[in-house]
Amino acid sequence: MQRLEPEIKVFHFEKSEERYEELSEQEKTEENRNIRNGVNFARKVLLNDECSLLVLDELLGVIDNGVVTKEDVQTLFGAKAEETQIIVTGRTLPDYMRELADEIYQIRTEKNET
C-alpha cells in the first residue's frame, strides 16, 4: 500500500484485532469512539473535497452494530461533492442506504473453502 501513496491513502480507525461481537462492553465503548472518529474523519475528507473516491470498508457492519446512526450516514453522504463516489461494504444493507446510493452491487459467497 505504501507504494501507492500519495495517490491512495488508507486509514484504519479500529484498534482491536478481535471481532466486534467478541469484545467486552468496555472494549466496545472504546471501539465505538474510534469508529465514530473515523466516520467524522471521512466526513471532513468529503467536505474538503480531498478525494474522488472514498471506500468505507465495513460501514454496513458498523451500521448493523448500531455504532453509527441513519442520521450519521445521511450527514456523511450529504457532505460529498456531486462527482465524488463512495463505496461502502458489509453484509446487511439498510433500506435507507438504497435512497442514498447511486449504485448498489451485491456480492455473495457461492462456496467457502475454509
Side-chain angles (χ1 to χ4, degrees):
M1 291 303 290
Q2 290 175 337
R3 290 186 297 150
L4 299 174
E5 287 191 29
E7 289 80 20
I8 295 178
K9 295 180 183 176
V10 176
F11 299 94
H12 185 88
F13 290 88
E14 285 182 295
K15 304 296 183 211
S16 177
E17 296 290 324
E18 294 179 50
R19 292 180 44 152
Y20 185 82
E21 297 81 17
E22 297 169 358
L23 298 176
S24 70
E25 288 306 312
Q26 182 178 356
E27 291 169 323
K28 282 182 182 179
T29 299
E30 184 176 328
E31 281 298 77
N32 290 351
R33 185 174 35 254
N34 296 335
I35 292 166
R36 283 193 297 272
N37 285 340
V39 171
N40 288 331
F41 179 80
R43 185 178 54 79
K44 288 177 185 174
V45 166
L46 292 170
L47 283 171
N48 293 325
D49 201 20
E50 294 180 29
C51 66
S52 57
L53 174 65
L54 179 64
V55 179
L56 300 168
D57 189 31
E58 285 301 325
L59 179 68
L60 299 178
V62 170
I63 294 168
D64 198 36
N65 284 320
V67 178
V68 297
T69 65
K70 175 181 179 178
E71 292 75 24
D72 295 330
V73 176
Q74 289 172 325
T75 300
L76 180 63
F77 273 74
K80 82 177 195 72
E82 180 72 29
E83 62 279 354
T84 302
Q85 296 181 356
I86 299 176
I87 296 175
V88 299
T89 68
R91 297 181 189 269
T92 305
L93 181 67
D95 287 336
Y96 68 83
M97 286 294 293
R98 295 180 187 285
E99 299 167 11
L100 296 172
D102 294 321
E103 297 178 36
I104 296 172
Y105 300 91
Q106 183 178 26
I107 301 171
R108 60 187 172 98
T109 303
E110 290 287 328
K111 186 175 180 181
N112 189 349
E113 297 291 332
T114 57

